[in-house]
Amino acid sequence: MTKYIFVTGGVTSSLGKGIISASLAKLLQSRGFSVTIQKFDPYINVDPGTLNPYEHGECYVTDDGAETDLDLGYYERFLNKPVSQANNVTTGRIYQTVIQNERKGEYLGKTVQVIPHITDEIKRRMMLLGQSDEHDIVITELGGTVGDIESLPYLEAVRQMRWDLGNDNCLVIHLTLLPYLEAAKELKTKPTQHSVKELQNAGIQPDILVCRTDHDISNAIRRKIALFCNVEISSVIEAITADTVYAVPLLMLRENLDRVVINKLKLRERKEPDLKKWKEFLGRLKNPTHEINVGLIGKYIELKDAYKSIYESFLLAGAEKECEVNVIPIQSENIYDDNIKDKFSDLDGILVAPGFGERGFEGKVIAARYARENKMPFFGICLGMQTAVVEFSRNVLGLENANSTEMNPNTPYKVIDLMEEQKQIENMGGTMRLGTYPCEIKKNSKVHAAYGESKVNERHRHRYEMNNDFKKDLEKAGMHCVGINPSTNLVEMIELKDHPWFIASQFHPEYKSTVEEPHPLFVSFIEACMKNKSID
Ligand code: GLN
């Protein structure tokens, strides 16, 4: 029978519930259990796809085309196992289902209420992934902070699941904060006590407390927390702030979080945790022998979370090459012909980021031109590839004012355009080309060398495509279309012939980079930047 673990958060947001959940999952996976993680978000958007990146950071995309919370990226990076639409549920989606059921008459004339109808739908979705034999353990991260109005139906669902399944099959971990008061030189437990009381008010006694702290927790403090929060001392787990999130699984191992969970859920031990590969990766990450500077050209650069997977992909691929990648965010709105040389003088390569809308687009075009003309390694992702095509069309093919119709619907040369099926679409949510599509790679190309394969599957999130009417001319002038979707013939990857490394993809490789398998395009780009640096 599948066991369920719920992870709630108290005191403040941003304590790292996603990282704790992913770390615990990693430890259990390394002991031979099959684990998946899902996240329930208490907002009313049906998914984060329509959210501005400034609101909620990056929107992460799964193989099956779900637009999800960025924590799912960590689940995949840690577990090296794909998640799906079912792994991210929002209040909006729950209500949408219940309201649709009501319209179909499925509630047989009853008054539809938060309890039991909303809570039943939450429970159904919480158990969905556990219904196949695929997973021994399902970890559910509850978004938000205990005490928020929005979280109440979720807590009630967890309380009921506990009652339905029993304590041996269902466990609650509460993540809290122990603030340190400099004047008193003390860690304070009161916010934790209050936050646990809040949970108890909802009828939930947490089994394990994971305490986020900047200072070691003494035994006396552990005892105090255990006594006042009604948990065993061994269930008070220290989560000390780490220098990298990838160190957290090892910190949790040291605190025996996995063992406490195994005992409480009466799981039969399978093997000692095997974290050899993980430790080797951490060793390389912490002891780089090279260093490069990469410019990240985008318009949401003020918020690191907006390009989360790109930053993480650089870190993972950098570790593979024992190279510290300093990612330097550059606001594309501020790039002009007369300042680009200065701005790019310390860079070994640039990545032009994905994005929507015309703000900052022309700066990206100037950046692409600079990289092309100065033989600087260039990596374009999604809008980054569209930028490269627009730049090349204007400045090499001489097609004046060539553009994407997203930026200028009246451009004389629509080198990037909407696909026919996109033109009829009115709804914004979930209507892009989303999820995994196959891509065939031309032999003798740089991308073929990078992947070492001629058929790959990559994830998409866009409406516009390269216009095949211009393909012949682009190829003739040296922009090779090296990745093609075999069923639609759409161009998925381009590269420049006379350039050491100028590659761009319509898909998002950053969604498929994990600790165990850093993405080959990122690894190859870093190699090119290292080479470029040594030539300088
Ligand atoms: N705005 C572009 C499109 O919709 C690119 C999207 C992206 O970069 N994710 O096609």
Side-chain angles (χ1 to χ4, degrees):
M1 165 161 180
T2 306
K3 309 272 185 177
Y4 293 87
I5 299 173
F6 293 94
V7 180
T8 58
V11 186
T12 70
S13 58
S14 308
L15 291 182
K17 266 183 309 220
I19 300 297
I20 293 294
S21 304
S23 299
L24 173 61
K26 185 76 220 168
L27 293 181
L28 293 169
Q29 185 192 52
S30 76
R31 283 176 171 277
F33 295 103
S34 157
V35 194
T36 191
I37 320 176
Q38 56 186 356
K39 179 159 190 198
F40 282 62
D41 275 312
Y43 51 74
I44 296 174
N45 304 64
V46 173
D47 61 41
T50 53
L51 287 174
N52 184 319
Y54 287 129
E55 279 285 312
H56 205 252
E58 146 191 292
C59 173
Y60 190 75
V61 178
T62 59
D63 276 335
D64 63 352
E67 298 178 281
T68 71
D69 184 79
L70 54 77
D71 273 348
L72 274 81
Y74 280 108
Y75 306 165
E76 290 199 346
R77 287 189 281 273
F78 274 49
L79 296 184
N80 199 31
K81 203 168 120 177
V83 290
S84 68
Q85 176 72 76
N87 294 70
N88 194 195
V89 178
T90 66
T91 294
R93 198 172 287 275
I94 303 269
Y95 271 80
Q96 191 184 45
T97 309
V98 170
I99 291 169
Q100 272 165 3
N101 289 345
E102 184 272 336
R103 293 287 82 183
K104 283 191 228 152
E106 286 185 11
Y107 298 114
L108 305 175
K110 287 246 177 295
T111 308
V112 181
Q113 293 178 300
V114 173
I115 301 173
H117 302 99
I118 294 295
T119 46
D120 279 354
E121 178 58 18
I122 294 175
K123 281 164 63 181
R124 186 184 73 79
R125 288 186 183 258
M126 281 177 168
M127 286 189 287
L128 216 52
L129 290 167
Q131 263 149 19
S132 67
D133 287 338
E134 211 188 319
H135 308 292
D136 303 316
I137 301 161
V138 176
I139 299 180
T140 304
E141 177 192 347
L142 291 189
T145 308
V146 168
D148 296 347
I149 292 174
E150 290 91 339
S151 301
L152 286 174
Y154 292 98
L155 294 179
E156 171 59 12
V158 172
R159 186 193 69 76
Q160 292 186 18
M161 280 201 40
R162 257 261 174 99
W163 190 87
D164 292 340
L165 300 170
N167 285 350
D168 292 352
N169 298 314
C170 190
L171 179 100
V172 176
I173 298 177
H174 188 53
L175 175 62
T176 77
L177 174 71
L178 296 184
Y180 183 79
L181 287 193
E182 197 54 54
K185 300 257 175 295
E186 248 183 348
L187 280 173
K188 289 296 183 189
T189 65
K190 197 73 87 189
T192 296
Q193 294 179 40
H194 282 299
S195 154
V196 169
K197 281 225 174 72
E198 196 73 51
L199 257 187
Q200 288 166 341
N201 272 345
I204 298 172
Q205 168 63 48
D207 302 278
I208 297 173
L209 294 176
V210 176
C211 305
R212 179 72 190 272
T213 170
D214 290 334
H215 297 262
D216 283 330
I217 311 179
S218 67
N219 282 340
I221 299 259
R222 284 184 200 246
R223 213 168 304 124
K224 186 172 172 188
I225 295 171
L227 176 65
F228 290 120
C229 299
N230 215 16
V231 299
E232 292 163 32
I233 295 182
S234 59
S235 298
V236 178
I237 305 287
E238 169 186 293
I240 199 147
T241 302
D243 49 359
T244 159
V245 296
Y246 297 97
V248 178
L250 299 182
L251 294 177
M252 291 302 107
L253 181 70
R254 202 176 65 192
E255 286 286 304
N256 286 322
L257 176 60
D258 52 334
R259 192 170 289 281
V260 175
V261 164
I262 284 173
N263 289 343
K264 287 201 184 293
L265 289 176
K266 301 208 165 47
L267 283 158
R268 208 167 311 134
E269 294 235 17
R270 301 208 174 148
K271 58 174 186 161
E272 282 302 304
D274 174 9
L275 289 161
K276 192 166 165 274
K277 274 197 193 148
W278 192 276
K279 286 181 185 162
E280 284 168 3
F281 150 74
L282 260 189
R284 286 194 304 273
L285 180 68
K286 291 193 173 173
N287 300 293
T289 46
H290 312 275
E291 190 178 351
I292 54 167
N293 295 334
V294 170
L296 172 61
I297 320 299
K299 66 173 174 180
Y300 306 114
I301 50 137
E302 301 82 358
L303 184 71
K304 244 184 140 182
D305 274 0
Y307 299 115
K308 192 86 200 168
S309 294
I310 292 177
Y311 278 99
E312 297 302 308
S313 296
F314 273 125
L315 181 141
L316 301 173
E320 171 97 354
K321 302 306 301 174
E322 293 182 11
C323 178
E324 181 167 354
V325 182
N326 303 315
V327 180
I328 297 158
I330 297 175
Q331 175 55 259
S332 58
E333 276 184 297
N334 303 336
I335 297 178
Y336 301 102
D337 284 322
D338 55 6
N339 67 5
I340 189 156
K341 208 166 172 228
D342 262 6
K343 277 192 185 289
F344 283 18
S345 62
D346 290 334
L347 302 180
D348 304 306
I350 59 165
L351 185 147
V352 174
F356 294 84
E358 64 180 324
R359 179 168 73 89
F361 180 68
E362 288 303 321
K364 289 183 170 177
V365 175
I366 294 171
R369 178 176 196 165
Y370 183 89
R372 179 176 57 78
E373 291 180 344
N374 293 282
K375 309 261 183 245
M376 179 184 244
F378 170 96
F379 192 2
I381 296 183
C382 207
L383 184 62
M385 173 174 126
Q386 299 174 358
T387 307
V389 172
V390 167
E391 188 279 319
F392 198 85
S393 306
R394 287 182 192 171
N395 302 320
V396 179
L397 298 187
L399 305 176
E400 209 177 321
N401 294 324
N403 215 333
S404 159
T405 49
E406 180 181 8
M407 314 305 159
N408 176 10
N410 303 318
T411 169
Y413 304 105
K414 301 176 175 182
V415 291
I416 306 289
D417 201 4
L418 268 189
M419 283 195 310
E420 264 325 297
E421 53 261 47
Q422 280 287 338
K423 291 185 183 159
Q424 311 343 317
I425 289 172
E426 282 176 8
N427 270 354
M428 291 294 280
T431 53
M432 285 185 247
R433 176 147 87 107
L434 286 166
T436 291
Y437 288 86
C439 169
E440 275 175 11
I441 301 176
K442 296 260 160 71
K443 296 242 165 66
N444 303 322
S445 61
K446 289 189 197 83
V447 291
H448 190 270
Y451 276 102
E453 277 174 274
S454 16
K455 213 170 170 180
V456 295
N457 291 296
E458 294 282 4
R459 297 182 194 171
H460 293 248
R461 182 174 188 250
H462 55 101
R463 293 185 201 284
Y464 293 80
E465 305 283 351
M466 196 191 106
N467 183 346
N468 275 339
D469 292 349
F470 295 88
K471 192 171 159 196
K472 245 200 208 121
D473 291 343
L474 289 167
E475 294 228 304
K476 224 190 305 158
M479 179 172 268
H480 289 176
C481 301
V482 286
I484 305 288
N485 180 313
S487 46
T488 55
N489 226 15
L490 290 169
V491 174
E492 310 282 37
M493 273 190 277
I494 57 100
E495 68 181 40
L496 287 189
K497 194 170 98 204
D498 300 317
H499 192 289
W501 210 99
F502 191 110
I503 292 176
S505 65
Q506 188 55 72
F507 53 74
H508 290 260
E510 73 275 23
Y511 295 142
K512 283 189 74 168
S513 217
T514 68
V515 169
E516 269 177 49
E517 294 175 61
H519 197 284
L521 288 180
F522 277 89
V523 175
S524 173
F525 174 66
I526 288 173
E527 279 169 353
C529 294
M530 284 162 62
K531 213 160 151 197
N532 184 32
K533 184 179 176 180
S534 67
I535 292 168
D536 290 348

